[in-house]
Amino acid sequence: MSRFVCWVALFFGILGLIGWVEAGDEVTSRVGRLADEVTGDVLRWRRDFHAHPELSNREERTSRVVAELLRQFGVDSLKTGVAGHGVVALIHGRQPGPCVALRADMDALPIQERSGVPFASQNAGVMHACGHDAHMAMLLGAAKVLVQMRDALPGTVKLIFQPAEEGPPRGEQGGAKLMIDEGVLEDPRVSAIFGMHVSTDLDCGKLGYRFGALLAAVDRFRVTVRGKQSHAATPWKGVDPIVGTAHIISAVQTIASRRVDARQPVVVSFGMVHGGQAWNIIPERVELEGTIRTHDVEVRRLAVAQFHRIVRETAGALGCQVEIQWDDYGPVVWNDPDLGQRMLPSLARAAGQGNVVESPPVMGGEDFAHYARKVPGFFIFLGVRNEMAGAIHPLHTPQMRIDEAALPLGVRTHCLLAIDCLKQEAGRVSRAAEE
Ligand code: NI
């Protein structure tokens, strides 16, 4: 009798499994078909954003275009003006259930484009050199697909278009932090969030993932070194902040080379050094700006403390005064290992089994980190590198290009992450209710 029950259970178990796999395959092929249908649109939107880039907290046109398209698709709710120019939309499934979020960033960089593409930036000195044009276009593509798949959604998908990812201008607020302060993770409450970034280190057609720390914690500093102005011919009558600055810049290199455990990643870089007006005048002051990147809380604490100490004491030894301003741009982008593990099969279905690869840790930062500190998050890389397409230059450079052939994979990935995660979350909720 018990053996009979076992066989029956096994039989129905296998039937169920086949049914589930088939249902999964059906969703995958439906997503693939609908994603193919929107590919022309996605390319068009991406090129339009690319030609009209806007700096952080200035994404007025971008925001208008995004909102207008979402309205056309017939999303169920649309909020504009979130944290500046942010746009948040909801797509409700046929059945009620939990809510998962997909996030794209909107801003461009102060770079004069030299990529040579025919749809290059029409705004002098501003360029989508970090791929946020592609991020928006892919999320819009996913939105257009998902509104047609409401029957496959056991819950709600929240689409987050976030401004100022590159950091708001000095003196302004903005980005992920402000979106969270304005309630983007609430109403309905988000139970998981996904983000995607193009990668020029990863071949087109591949997805990169990593559990735990993926991107670095970012500290941004500004140092003012003050001396006493004098004639360049009589330096002993003043205090030279340029020589002071030279020593400071050299001395802080010892943080990475002498202080932090060599097996731990750390970077200290200066991006701006400004001082002086004439060749024969020792100036009053020099301004420095730069960043520290780390992957570990303890390393971060040590590097920041050591930076303050070296800057103050080096300046003091040379008779200069310093002022240090600190900006905690964001923590490590932490990928929730449990969520990531659960979503790996979705990545494989989107890209194909051999095309999902583990990514090494990256020293770049992303303010997605703030969301992933509040709710389980999973941030992945979309490969856009292709030598034949000239897509070999790194992000944040004037020559940066992407292979647009990667964009349909991005759309499929967004859709499958949202659908599969909603199913899993809905399953967890109903199991919890049964218990
Ligand atoms: Ni970026």
Side-chain angles (χ1 to χ4, degrees):
M1 177 64 187
S2 69
R3 184 175 287 181
F4 174 72
V5 170
C6 277
W7 281 112
V8 169
L10 186 65
F11 175 73
F12 282 105
I14 289 171
L15 268 191
L17 194 63
I18 291 170
W20 182 80
V21 169
E22 270 190 343
D25 280 350
E26 197 208 308
V27 166
T28 310
S29 60
R30 228 175 123 198
V31 164
R33 207 170 50 243
L34 291 171
D36 284 346
E37 282 175 25
V38 300
T39 295
D41 290 335
V42 171
L43 292 189
R44 208 157 36 76
W45 300 329
R46 186 256 155 171
R47 291 177 177 203
D48 176 64
F49 289 133
H50 193 86
H52 303 97
E54 293 172 302
L55 292 174
S56 308
N57 271 0
R58 304 289 179 270
E59 307 90 343
E60 278 168 46
R61 177 190 184 275
T62 308
S63 173
R64 244 188 356 258
V65 172
V66 166
E68 183 47 40
L69 286 168
L70 291 169
R71 209 169 281 133
Q72 279 175 26
F73 304 159
V75 294
D76 297 298
S77 100
L78 186 67
K79 222 189 269 177
T80 58
V82 183
H85 299 293
V87 180
V88 181
L90 296 180
I91 300 172
H92 296 305
R94 294 256 186 274
Q95 307 118 282
C99 174
V100 302
L102 303 171
R103 174 275 207 169
D105 38 14
M106 307 166 82
D107 50 335
L109 287 160
I111 291 176
Q112 179 61 45
E113 179 158 3
R114 294 204 309 269
S115 71
V117 297
F119 47 91
S121 169
Q122 295 173 17
N123 299 346
V126 186
M127 176 187 178
H128 268 298
C130 198
H132 300 185
D133 49 344
H135 301 167
M136 287 184 282
M138 291 188 292
L139 191 54
L140 286 166
K144 198 171 177 182
V145 170
L146 290 171
V147 293
Q148 300 172 69
M149 292 191 69
R150 285 189 172 97
D151 56 300
L153 299 177
T156 297
V157 180
K158 189 178 281 195
L159 305 157
I160 300 175
F161 291 85
Q162 179 215 301
E165 190 281 324
E166 303 287 356
R170 203 160 275 283
E172 292 181 28
Q173 283 194 307
K177 236 188 214 166
L178 191 58
M179 296 285 285
I180 294 168
D181 289 347
E182 296 195 5
V184 74
L185 296 177
E186 302 299 327
D187 192 31
R189 180 159 178 74
V190 169
S191 55
I193 185 164
F194 300 99
M196 196 188 301
H197 207 294
V198 298
S199 168
T200 48
D201 293 325
L202 194 61
D203 284 336
C204 181
K206 303 228 184 259
L207 294 175
Y209 74 94
R210 181 174 193 81
F211 302 145
L214 174 69
L215 289 129
V218 178
D219 285 287
R220 174 177 170 182
F221 56 77
R222 182 189 188 126
V223 178
T224 306
V225 184
R226 263 176 233 286
K228 185 169 165 247
Q229 191 164 324
S230 67
H231 197 298
T234 57
W236 60 88
K237 292 186 178 172
V239 175
D240 189 346
I242 289 184
V243 170
T245 296
H247 282 275
I248 287 171
I249 292 174
S250 298
V252 298
Q253 304 310 314
T254 59
I255 295 171
S257 69
R258 306 289 87 174
R259 286 300 300 218
V260 171
D261 186 324
R263 295 161 295 185
Q264 295 274 13
V266 58
V267 169
V268 182
S269 290
F270 290 87
M272 286 204 274
V273 181
H274 292 300
Q277 295 87 35
W279 64 282
N280 54 359
I281 301 170
I282 290 171
E284 167 84 20
R285 62 193 185 136
V286 175
E287 310 265 4
L288 311 170
E289 284 193 53
T291 178
I292 296 181
R293 309 290 173 110
T294 49
H295 271 249
D296 176 88
V297 178
E298 266 314 296
V299 172
R300 184 182 193 183
R301 197 193 50 75
L302 173 66
V304 171
Q306 194 64 10
F307 182 91
H308 278 83
R309 186 171 154 200
I310 291 175
V311 170
R312 282 193 201 295
E313 295 187 5
T314 306
L318 298 170
C320 295
Q321 297 194 314
V322 284
E323 237 170 75
I324 303 174
Q325 279 173 280
W326 212 262
D327 193 356
D328 166 4
Y329 175 76
V332 161
V333 172
W334 180 261
N335 278 333
D336 186 89
D338 171 58
L339 177 66
Q341 197 69 255
R342 286 192 281 127
M343 299 324 294
L344 271 192
S346 308
L347 300 187
R349 277 162 53 218
Q353 197 64 50
N355 291 321
V356 181
V357 296
E358 194 178 355
S359 167
V362 175
M363 297 316 284
E366 239 285 355
D367 76 353
F368 184 85
H370 293 289
Y371 304 113
R373 276 230 286 210
K374 300 276 180 192
V375 298
F378 191 38
F379 194 79
I380 57 171
F381 289 129
L382 174 76
V384 293
R385 183 184 180 85
N386 181 353
E387 270 177 55
M388 304 297 282
I392 49 168
H393 301 283
L395 303 179
H396 291 219
T397 65
Q399 299 89 356
M400 187 272 194
R401 272 196 203 195
I402 65 166
D403 183 356
E404 290 179 326
L407 301 186
L409 170 57
V411 175
R412 290 199 300 275
T413 305
H414 270 314
C415 294
L416 288 174
L417 284 173
I419 294 170
D420 295 348
C421 187
L422 271 184
K423 282 184 183 160
Q424 290 182 12
E425 295 292 323
R428 279 146 72 105
V429 169
S430 65
R431 271 199 306 280
E434 277 166 23
E435 284 163 15

